[in-house]
Amino acid sequence: STPQPTQTPLVTISPAPSLTPSIRPTAAEVPSPHAAASEDQAVISALNAASLSPWWSMPAEYQITRAEWSRDETLLAIDSPKGIQLWAFPGLRYIGTINASSSDFAFIEGPGGPMLLVGDWGSVVVWDPILQAPGGEYRDRRDVSNPASLGLSADGKRLASSLARDSGVGIHTVMHIWEVESGEQLLTIQVSPILVALEIAFRPDGAEIAAARRANSTVYFWDTQTGTALGRLEGEAVEYSPRGDVVATTRGRSVWIWDAETKGLVRVLQVSGEEVSPPIAFSPDGSLLAVGVNSLTIWETADWTEVTALPISGGSLQFLRFSPSGRYLAAINGQSEAAGAGYSDAYTATIWAVAD
């Protein structure tokens, strides 16, 4: 059955609205891949990364911030102001739009196939991506209406959610750790006496969790069994290598590589472009690190040699994610510019792959 939290009764969730033309992408938003999908598609490596080219791209006149693959790589989810768009992969056939206004989501593997976890107001909601219908939620009823940030352990068995809680004298921030299958709440960590937004990452062995707070450029670490604070590092974004040997944080044009156990500094990488926190992504085997602002730069992690730097046009990079197989790399770039009394958005979601 669908994972269901059991600590407290579930809040009744109304059925998802039916899909209507107003929330479907237009014809221009449903492009075809530039090349046919193939089981022989090469895994991205240090030897072929210089041959990466756009395999599929979707321009949009609205803000895009995230793209996630299901763990079996059969689905791709991309956020938009209209909801979270779902695409069959690798054929890139549009399936539908989940009517959820969140930019933080991740796939888990349910008994019947992929399910999508979406940070919602006061909880994390489980969505069936095929039916575009909610099926449960991870909620602590003491939390209040703040969009949840979330992170999944490498094995997909534990979920972390960060939300706001009313202490009676003010709003503060907590982070819960849940068992995904049973919905049992394993731990609650008191993160901050004020309301803060976090980016969450588990260490691959699940023993440690990190949360990056952009407002003060600090990454915090806790023990996932006891909730004990383990220290802090500089950074506005955080990601562990799948190998578990290093953790990367970023701020400005700098990427710091730290020893995951001791938190000692291993290497500092510099990124060209605007003074913004660059997105980062490790390949599934941990052999590559992708990062960039105005160009997509890939380093080989064995000796931190730059492998390639690919130009990006149409605004700075906002997000990077390798597919689970390591054959594809999702990149989102774009910009928002003042236009009259409002803003004009121009963003592009691109799937990169090694050219034949």
Side-chain angles (χ1 to χ4, degrees):
S1 60
T2 301
Q4 301 272 340
T6 57
Q7 185 177 18
T8 58
L10 289 176
V11 173
T12 302
I13 304 177
S14 301
S18 301
L19 293 178
T20 65
S22 64
I23 62 172
R24 297 183 68 91
T26 64
E29 295 172 333
V30 189
S32 299
H34 302 307
S38 170
E39 293 183 359
D40 298 327
Q41 178 65 50
V43 174
I44 302 169
S45 70
L47 298 177
N48 60 28
S51 299
L52 283 170
S53 63
W55 179 78
W56 178 84
S57 60
M58 183 185 71
E61 295 181 353
Y62 49 78
Q63 192 174 51
I64 308 173
T65 62
R66 194 176 193 89
E68 296 285 353
W69 274 279
S70 59
R71 299 173 76 87
D72 62 2
E73 210 168 286
T74 61
L75 294 173
L76 176 67
I78 303 175
D79 75 321
S80 77
K82 304 173 185 178
I84 301 172
Q85 297 178 6
L86 297 165
W87 305 78
F89 197 84
L92 274 305
R93 174 179 57 84
Y94 172 72
I95 297 173
T97 297
I98 285 178
N99 191 20
S101 57
S102 174
S103 60
D104 211 349
F105 49 88
F107 281 99
I108 57 171
E109 192 60 35
M115 302 292 284
L116 189 65
L117 302 181
V118 180
D120 208 325
W121 292 90
S123 70
V124 174
V125 178
V126 185
W127 286 81
D128 184 316
I130 304 303
L131 300 176
Q132 290 100 57
E137 63 180 357
Y138 298 85
R139 176 186 291 271
D140 185 315
R141 293 182 181 277
R142 292 168 293 180
D143 298 333
V144 295
S145 56
N146 180 59
S149 301
L150 61 90
L152 275 174
S153 61
D155 59 9
K157 294 182 178 180
R158 283 188 288 175
L159 163 70
S161 60
S162 174
L163 303 106
R165 175 171 291 181
D166 190 345
S167 64
V169 294
I171 302 296
H172 64 282
T173 304
V174 298
M175 181 163 57
H176 307 299
I177 297 179
W178 311 82
E179 184 179 77
V180 169
E181 184 174 2
S182 68
E184 179 186 357
Q185 190 180 97
L186 304 174
L187 182 70
T188 294
I189 298 170
Q190 304 297 322
V191 174
S192 171
I194 61 174
L195 179 60
V196 296
L198 301 174
E199 176 183 314
I200 302 170
F202 278 92
R203 198 168 74 184
D205 63 5
E208 179 180 284
I209 194 166
R213 181 182 171 191
R214 186 177 292 268
N216 66 351
S217 302
T218 303
V219 179
Y220 302 86
F221 299 87
W222 294 271
D223 184 292
T224 56
Q225 295 298 316
T226 65
T228 302
L230 299 176
R232 63 185 68 181
L233 294 172
E234 186 174 0
E236 296 179 353
V238 60
E239 182 157 342
Y240 289 93
S241 165
R243 295 174 176 174
D245 56 339
V246 296
V247 58
T249 67
T250 71
R251 184 175 69 84
R253 291 192 292 267
S254 297
V255 181
W256 293 284
I257 308 298
W258 312 87
D259 184 284
E261 187 66 34
T262 67
K263 304 302 185 289
L265 184 62
V266 174
R267 186 66 61 95
V268 180
L269 308 175
Q270 295 297 325
V271 179
S272 61
E274 304 168 41
E275 188 72 26
V276 297
S277 185
I280 49 178
F282 283 98
S283 61
D285 65 359
S287 66
L288 301 175
L289 175 67
V291 62
V293 179
N294 298 119
S295 63
L296 172 53
T297 305
I298 296 180
W299 277 275
E300 186 174 12
T301 61
D303 56 7
W304 301 106
T305 300
E306 183 178 312
V307 175
T308 189
L310 306 168
I312 298 292
S313 60
S316 60
L317 281 168
Q318 309 289 321
F319 182 85
L320 292 168
R321 179 77 81 228
F322 280 90
S323 71
S325 70
R327 293 182 169 90
Y328 304 94
L329 174 60
I332 294 172
N333 65 286
Q335 56 192 354
S336 298
E337 297 181 342
Y343 287 89
S344 174
D345 295 322
Y347 284 77
T348 303
T350 302
I351 305 297
W352 293 75
V354 176
D356 295 332

